Amino acid sequence: MDLAGKKIVLGLTGGIACYKAAEFTRALIKAGASVQVVMTAAATHFITPVTMQGLSGKTVFTDQWDARIGNNMPHIDLTRDADAIVIAPCSADFIFKLAHGACDDLLSTLCVARPATVPLLAAPAMNVEMWQNPATQRNLTQLQADGIQLLGPDAGEQACGEVGMGRMLEADQLLEEVIASFQPKLLKGKRVLVTAGPTFEPIDPVRGITNLSSGKMGYAVARAAYEAGAEVTLVSGPTALTTPYGVRRISIQTAQQMHDIVMAQMAAHGGTDIFVAVAAVADWRVANASSQKLKKNADGSAPQLVFEQNPDILATVAALPKAPYCVGFAAESENLLQYGEAKRIRKNVPLLVGNIGHDTFGKDDNQLVLFDAGGHTELARAGKQELARQLIAAIAARLGK
Ligand code: CTP
């Protein structure tokens, strides 16, 4: 329940993306938030207040002169205990209104009248030409200068049939952004590289060797780093997971490919500040992998596979002259305290995160032990996303943030 106890005022303005606001409301509520919907007159042409009331479980407000609020001041009362106002969809016209401080309907007045401590987030949704129009871009610059956070938009196919920037984010992406907005920006301005998932080492074009890593912990670390304000690249082996919103993902198959991409990233974009190696990298690859599918032998004998060792990505990065702050993971099956500290020293990293592999692979929760030069600290069993946030806070603390 990432939004437990949070009170969100959700503003809808006129746009076809109003249909996504229904799903977004459900997602906010499932995450523990309470949602107070306010709609402009234009929004009611796209989705009814009845639908939004049914989904939010609260009276929907559309009118500045609505007398249902005791003091007849909905523009004041609706935001006084809010944790955030989210406008989704936010039309080009509403962006113009926000940029100029317009107060000509309930939603615009409510935004201007919000306490300075209540963050305002806006998810633009419009046709690509409207998005690119210099007037819209001017207004967007003003919104950002005024501290209004933009969520998206995305590029892609639009309801009108045209293609380009202006699509509103999907409900789950909006939810991730709202959750992120409540996290402390401990890694603002930092570049973080995360490896995640298993690797896949081919035997022939249709077979290979892999392991049971689901990638969930690595993806959670990447998301937590993004939530903390970092620029995040995720180098991932094959997984069934959705890339966290805002994270750049590079997909690989083999340990060698992961090594090559990681080393290229170390040299690119002015370097990396923090490297978190969560991937369960195969220790060996098949040296005599076949370029054609192996066939059964007539005499029933099995093919002879020859293994050679893969490069140790973490140790290689940690040995760079300008190494980033390196964090390793150790998946052990026993003696975690002893093996964890030994592995931290062997890999020469300032921080190593230990867990019991078969207790966590594929699961949604985990239990971690952090090893550093000062000893070890246990992080109690919790969801992987929660643990990832604690790990990011532990890294930030060690970097003096
Ligand atoms: N790792 C890596 N490259 C490898 C192997 C491991 O970057 N070729 C990283 C993992 O991502 C993890 C850490 O090293 O952060 C520990 O990996 P692990 O496989 O548990 O340790 P090993 O070095 O293989 O040691 P052992 O076989 O003794 O468990």
Side-chain angles (χ1 to χ4, degrees), residues 62 71 110 126 130 133 136 154 167 216 289 348 355 358 389:
T62 57
N71 61 6
L110 171 153
M126 68 199 71
M130 293 173 86
N133 189 287
T136 308
D154 205 353
R167 269 176 66 94
K216 284 180 183 167
N348 190 28
N355 56 182
H358 55 270
R389 289 184 187 126

Side-chain angles (χ1 to χ4, degrees), residues 277-279 281-283 311-314 328-332 343 346-347:
V278 197
V281 184
D283 288 318
D312 188 321
I313 303 165
L314 177 58
F329 265 69
E332 304 294 349
K343 192 169 285 182
R346 180 159 46 82
K347 299 240 179 188

